[in-house]
Amino acid sequence: MSLPSRPWSAGQKLAFRFFFVFFALYIFPFPLTFVPYAGEVYEGVWRLFIPWVGAHILHLPDPITIFTNGSGDTTFDYVKMGTMLALAVLGALVWSLADRRRRNYETAHHWLRVWLRYYVAYMMFIYGFAKVFHLQMPSPYLSQLVQPFGDKSPMGLAWSYIGYSKAFSAFTGWAEVIAGLFLLFRRTTLLGAVLSAIVAANIVAINFCFDVPVKLFSSFLLLVSLFLMAPDVKRLANLFVLNKPVQPKIYRNYLSKRWLRISAVVLKSLFIIFILYSQVESSVNGTKRYGDGRAKPPLFGIYNTELLVRNHDTIPPLTTDTTRWRQLIIQYEKSAHLKLMNDSLKPLNFIVDTTLKTATVFSRTDTSRKSVLHYTADSAYLTLTGVLDNDSVMYRLRKFDHRSFRLLSRGFRWVNEYPYNR
C-alpha cells in the first residue's frame, strides 16, 4: 500500500540519529564479516585507537594491552563501548545540524531494522546451536567433579548448572534459535523481538549475577531487541495491559521494482540457508572434536593414589604434603589435572604414548622440565614409574568410576516421595 509519510518530532529524529550511529559502529562490518579479513581489519583499527583513547583522553594509570578474548568485559571493551557512545552523541549532533530539514527517516529506519534483525538472528543462531548441541556449557568435566564446591567460580557454577542437563541446555538453545528464526521475517519480527528480549534478559541476569564476562555484549543484544520492539510498544500495551483493540500493522513496500524484490528474496534465502547450514555443520563437527561425541584419550578417568614410593621410601598421605598426588584426572588429549593433598587442582601437560607405554609430564608454564614416566594399566589400576622432579617415584593409583558420583548417578525420577536435596 502507498502510505502517507508522517513527520517525526525533533526528539525522534535525534534519537534515531544517535542509535543509527551507535548500532552501525558496534555491529559493522556485519555481514561483511564473512569476507576474509574484513572483521580483522575493522577490529585492528579499534585496537590501535582505543589504547590511544585510554592513554591520552582518559589518562588511565596503565596502558591497555589486553584485548577482547574469552572475556568481552576487558578494560579495552569498556573503553571501546564508551568511545562508541561518545562518537554516537557527536555523530547525532553533527548529523542534526547538517540535516535539519529532514521530515523523517522512515526509509533509513526500515533498513536499519533489517540490518539489526539479521545481526541479532545470527547471534541467536551462534549461541543457540552451541547450546542445542551441548557445546557452550558442556557436562561437568572430571576435574570439576572432584573440585570442592566452595572452590568453584560463580561462572563455573552457572556453566555446570546448565551443562549438567543436555535437555535443559537444548531447551535454552532452541529458545534462542526460534527467536532468531522469527526475526528473519518482517511479519514475525515483533514476535521474534519479544522472544529475543526475554532470552537476552535472562542471559543478562545470568551474566551479571554469576560474573560471566559477557555483560556488555548481552546487554547490547537486549538493547537491540528492545529497539526492534519500540515501534510496537503502544500496540503491545493495548493488547496486554489496557485491554484495547489492536489494529493490524500495515507494511510499506520499500522495493518498488520487481527485480529488486526478486533479488531480495534470493539473497535472503541464500543467507538463511548459509547461516543455518554453517551453524549446524560447525556444531556437529564441534561435537565430534571437543563435545560429547569426542574420542576419549588413553587412560581416560579419575585415579586415586593408593601408594607413593619416592626415592625408595613410602610417602604417607599427609594433607600437609603439597607435592603428593591425591588424584590424577585425565579427560582430554595431552593434558591432565592433579588434585594434591590439600585439595588444590593443578593443570599439567600429560602426553601418553600407547606404543612405548610412557607418559610425558610437564608444567604448562615450564616446558623445559619434562619427565617421562612408564605406565602399566588394567581395568582397576594405573602404575607410573620414573623420575619426577629429580626424584625416583612409583605411583600406584586405583581407577575410580566417575559415574558413581551422586550428581551423575541420581538420574531423573517421575515419583519422589521426599525431596532429594543434597
Side-chain angles (χ1 to χ4, degrees):
M1 295 180 63
S2 178
L3 300 175
S5 179
R6 298 181 180 180
W8 288 12
S9 68
Q12 287 176 313
K13 290 186 287 186
L14 182 63
F16 171 77
R17 293 162 184 153
F18 168 80
F19 282 112
F20 186 96
V21 176
F22 175 62
F23 290 151
L25 288 172
Y26 196 100
I27 70 176
F28 187 81
F30 177 84
L32 298 179
T33 44
F34 301 112
V35 178
Y37 306 111
E40 289 83 350
V41 171
Y42 184 67
E43 185 62 21
V45 174
W46 286 110
R47 291 191 175 191
L48 292 174
F49 183 53
I50 295 304
W52 181 89
V53 172
H56 296 89
I57 297 180
L58 299 179
H59 302 289
L60 298 179
D62 299 311
I64 296 176
T65 58
I66 301 175
F67 303 105
T68 306
N69 45 70
S71 169
D73 293 339
T74 63
T75 301
F76 169 82
D77 293 298
Y78 276 98
V79 175
K80 181 181 177 182
M81 177 67 76
T83 302
M84 286 181 173
L85 291 170
L87 290 175
V89 171
L90 179 62
L93 294 176
V94 172
W95 189 355
S96 298
L97 292 174
D99 198 21
R100 295 188 300 272
R101 299 183 183 278
R102 178 78 61 174
R103 296 181 72 250
N104 60 55
Y105 291 97
E106 288 186 359
T107 301
H109 180 240
H110 166 76
W111 292 114
L112 175 63
R113 283 173 58 84
V114 172
W115 194 14
L116 295 175
R117 283 166 43 206
Y118 280 74
Y119 176 79
V120 176
Y122 176 59
M123 292 302 163
M124 289 291 172
F125 290 157
I126 289 178
Y127 287 97
F129 281 116
K131 294 182 180 71
V132 168
F133 286 89
H134 206 212
L135 294 173
Q136 185 181 8
M137 289 91 162
S139 299
Y141 305 135
L142 298 183
S143 57
Q144 293 174 321
L145 293 174
V146 302
Q147 179 184 11
F149 182 82
D151 284 343
K152 292 193 71 67
S153 67
M155 178 179 174
L157 179 61
W159 251 235
S160 297
Y161 159 66
I162 298 175
Y164 162 76
S165 171
K166 293 182 182 180
F168 184 70
S169 175
F171 173 80
T172 59
W174 280 118
E176 295 180 67
V177 171
I178 292 171
L181 286 172
F182 281 132
L183 285 171
L184 293 175
F185 303 93
R186 186 165 61 166
R187 293 184 180 276
T188 57
T189 293
L190 178 57
L191 178 57
V194 172
L195 290 177
S196 64
I198 294 172
V199 168
N202 180 63
I203 296 172
V204 168
I206 292 175
N207 291 346
F208 275 87
C209 297
F210 288 86
D211 193 31
V212 181
V214 200
K215 304 175 188 69
L216 290 175
F217 181 63
S218 59
S219 298
F220 177 79
L221 292 180
L222 176 58
L223 175 64
V224 175
S225 300
L226 295 175
F227 180 86
L228 293 173
M229 290 171 54
D232 296 288
V233 166
K234 185 176 180 180
R235 298 173 67 241
L236 289 172
N238 287 338
L239 177 62
F240 292 108
V241 180
L242 303 178
N243 197 29
K244 293 182 178 180
V246 178
Q247 297 299 320
K249 188 171 184 176
I250 301 176
Y251 296 93
R252 181 188 298 272
N253 186 4
Y254 291 90
L255 296 175
S256 57
K257 297 183 178 179
R258 185 171 180 270
W259 71 270
L260 287 175
R261 294 195 296 271
I262 295 175
S263 299
V265 171
V266 172
L267 288 175
K268 178 175 184 173
S269 301
L270 291 175
F271 177 84
I272 294 174
I273 293 171
F274 171 74
I275 293 300
L276 292 178
Y277 175 79
S278 63
Q279 290 305 309
V280 172
E281 182 192 36
S282 63
S283 297
V284 170
N285 290 334
T287 300
K288 296 176 182 178
R289 284 186 286 112
Y290 58 87
D292 295 335
R294 70 184 186 278
K296 291 182 173 60
L299 307 181
F300 174 87
I302 299 174
Y303 299 87
N304 295 320
T305 299
E306 285 196 348
L307 175 66
L308 167 60
V309 177
R310 180 187 293 151
N311 296 325
H312 307 292
D313 289 331
T314 300
I315 306 301
L318 302 178
T319 57
T320 55
D321 186 352
T322 57
T323 63
R324 190 183 193 276
W325 302 357
R326 173 175 287 191
Q327 287 179 318
L328 172 65
I329 303 100
I330 303 172
Q331 53 194 351
Y332 284 110
E333 288 280 355
K334 301 182 180 181
S335 68
H337 279 79
L338 295 178
K339 187 175 184 181
L340 304 177
M341 294 303 297
N342 61 357
D343 280 343
S344 63
L345 283 171
K346 177 183 176 182
L348 76 161
N349 293 305
F350 195 90
I351 302 175
V352 176
D353 188 324
T354 55
T355 302
L356 299 177
K357 298 293 183 180
T358 61
T360 303
V361 182
F362 56 99
S363 170
R364 292 183 181 179
T365 57
D366 184 6
T367 59
S368 62
R369 300 174 58 187
K370 297 183 179 179
S371 300
V372 178
L373 304 177
H374 294 269
Y375 75 85
T376 58
D378 55 32
S379 60
Y381 284 97
L382 170 66
T383 303
L384 298 168
T385 58
V387 177
L388 185 65
D389 295 331
N390 298 320
D391 295 320
S392 65
V393 298
M394 188 279 288
Y395 271 98
R396 188 176 71 199
L397 307 104
R398 179 187 286 271
K399 190 169 185 179
F400 173 78
D401 185 3
H402 65 277
R403 294 168 297 182
S404 64
F405 279 109
R406 179 184 289 121
L407 182 65
L408 303 183
S409 62
R410 169 63 179 173
F412 173 80
R413 309 289 178 90
W414 282 107
V415 177
N416 290 275
E417 302 297 351
Y418 299 97
Y420 191 76
N421 188 356
R422 302 291 187 269

